[in-house]
Amino acid sequence: MKIVAIGGGTGLSILLRGLKEVSQEITAVVTVADDGGGSGVLREDLGMLPPGDIRNCILALANTEPILQDLLQYRFSEGRLKGQNFGNLMIAAMQGISEGFEDAIRKISDIFAITGKVLPVSVVPMVLYAQLTDGIHVKGESNIPLEVVKRGAGVKKIWVEPHDVESGDEIIEAILAADVVVLGPGSLFTSVIPNMLVDNLMAALNATHAKRVYICNIMTQPGETDHFTVGDHVKALFTHTKLKALDAVFINEGTLTEEQMARYLKEDSNLVAFTPECEAMLAKIGIDVYKDDLIEVVKGYVRHNAGCIAMKLEAICERAYTPISHDLKV
């Protein structure tokens, strides 16, 4: 099974851990719009692509000793390097002795014996912009959710600059040859959609014969998807990109304990609702709905059960594909 997973942030790296259990042919396409944290510092200081999300994806697909994985994730706690991640510095150093960022990522991927490939969506640094519903323009991936919360306004329009940024041939060929292309899970406006604003990637996504699957977030995200339903997530994919069709959506129908839910409610986050109106909308535009308990709680935080999702994707690819509503139990 040839899989292309498109996204960024924690969601993509978690998904990859499950996908490598069912496929040796994985291409992870990672956003390069990140401008916060240690990645943002290296991006500004060295003019390089932000390495953080790429580092996490390499780690997720790695097949090396735990000590090497711990080293890649080590974060300095004091001195001038306080807050910086060793893996990010390793990528920066590798770029210095390589023919470019992509070459550096290939070499580090070889060192960590990863399953598949990890590729930046573009080798050109992308800057994410948003126009909010109150008319203000916001520059920077890290600033958008902050301004949404501060101003009490939603995202009206989102775009990247430069406008003519493109994905490399390796990404386009992988999408066109894939059995399944997965969008998400992850921050809708700052991890998933930015990749879909790259025109040649979007053209390949529209042209591929692969099954295009969106894995909807389990929880709403303050500053991005406050009060969003599943239907709102899907509408955003079509509204803010040139996406022409989507084959399926994976939806969580699991629940949380009162204690777990209370933690998220304090942060103004709630379970993403799947209403009868959502189901009717998706049926009308021919999108399959796959429902199951997709929740895995890790150290008190809600995550997608990547192993479960991977097995369901494998099952979908192996059986006849018909446009009806399913649960995911196979």
Side-chain angles (χ1 to χ4, degrees):
M1 179 171 62
K2 296 178 181 178
I3 305 172
V4 176
I6 301 174
T10 304
L12 178 59
S13 58
I14 288 174
L15 176 66
L16 293 176
R17 294 180 187 277
L19 295 182
K20 75 176 182 180
E21 300 301 322
V22 299
S23 175
Q24 299 294 308
E25 297 181 274
I26 302 168
T27 301
V29 180
V30 189
T31 180
V32 291
D34 185 11
D35 60 1
S39 287
V41 171
L42 291 177
R43 176 173 178 165
E44 182 176 349
D45 285 354
L46 302 180
M48 67 181 291
L49 294 176
D53 286 352
I54 289 172
R55 180 198 78 240
N56 286 331
C57 290
I58 290 173
L59 182 65
L61 293 175
N63 295 288
T64 54
E65 294 297 324
I67 188 65
L68 277 178
Q69 299 189 34
D70 290 343
L71 180 64
L72 198 68
Q73 288 293 68
Y74 177 76
R75 192 173 298 276
F76 294 90
S77 59
E78 56 188 8
R80 292 185 180 182
L81 292 177
K82 184 177 180 179
Q84 190 55 266
N85 179 282
F86 176 79
N88 289 353
L89 297 178
M90 183 177 179
I91 292 173
M94 186 65 79
Q95 179 173 310
I97 61 171
S98 303
E99 296 179 1
F101 190 80
E102 283 186 310
D103 185 41
I105 296 307
R106 289 191 187 96
K107 290 176 180 176
I108 291 178
S109 296
D110 288 342
I111 291 171
F112 286 87
I114 74 167
T115 299
K117 301 175 182 178
V118 176
L119 300 172
V121 68
S122 170
V123 295
V124 176
M126 292 163 46
V127 179
L128 191 63
Y129 290 83
Q131 180 185 3
L132 305 188
T133 51
D134 63 359
I136 193 171
H137 288 195
V138 183
K139 177 183 177 181
E141 175 265 345
S142 61
N143 293 323
I144 292 170
L146 296 177
E147 288 296 321
V148 167
V149 171
K150 177 182 174 181
R151 305 181 71 86
V155 175
K156 181 178 181 181
K157 182 181 179 182
I158 196 158
W159 69 95
V160 295
E161 293 185 5
H163 297 294
D164 59 352
V165 65
E166 289 191 344
S167 293
D169 292 343
E170 198 169 1
I171 290 175
I172 303 306
E173 291 167 5
I175 292 173
L176 294 176
D179 296 304
V180 59
V181 178
V182 182
L183 302 172
S187 300
L188 181 63
F189 289 107
T190 54
S191 289
V192 179
I193 286 178
N195 298 294
M196 300 171 70
L197 299 175
V198 178
D199 284 343
N200 67 334
L201 181 150
M202 192 70 259
L205 187 57
N206 284 328
T208 186
H209 293 292
K211 296 173 178 66
R212 291 155 295 195
V213 179
Y214 174 56
I215 301 177
C216 190
N217 288 345
I218 294 172
M219 309 299 297
T220 61
Q221 187 172 354
E224 290 210 30
T225 55
D226 300 274
H227 312 298
F228 269 39
T229 64
V230 171
D232 293 325
H233 281 77
V234 174
K235 284 180 186 177
L237 294 178
F238 285 98
T239 300
H240 296 283
T241 78
K242 297 177 182 178
L243 182 66
K244 293 181 179 179
L246 193 63
D247 297 299
V249 177
F250 278 18
I251 297 169
N252 170 63
E253 60 177 3
T255 58
L256 298 176
T257 65
E258 289 187 10
E259 182 180 358
Q260 291 165 343
M261 196 67 246
R263 178 175 186 169
Y264 277 87
L265 289 174
K266 286 181 181 178
E267 300 174 357
D268 294 321
S269 179
N270 211 327
L271 288 163
V272 174
F274 182 59
T275 65
E277 291 77 16
C278 296
E279 189 159 21
M281 183 200 84
L282 296 179
K284 183 177 180 180
I285 57 179
I287 298 176
D288 280 11
V289 173
Y290 289 85
K291 298 179 288 185
D292 204 344
D293 181 352
L294 301 180
I295 293 177
E296 183 174 40
V297 179
V298 181
K299 296 181 180 179
Y301 289 97
V302 172
R303 301 286 185 254
H304 280 83
N305 186 323
C308 174
I309 290 173
M311 288 189 294
K312 308 313 180 184
L313 286 170
E314 184 179 40
I316 289 172
C317 286
E318 289 176 351
R319 71 183 179 212
Y321 194 67
T322 53
I324 57 176
S325 183
H326 310 268
D327 65 25
L328 290 175
K329 298 175 177 65
V330 293

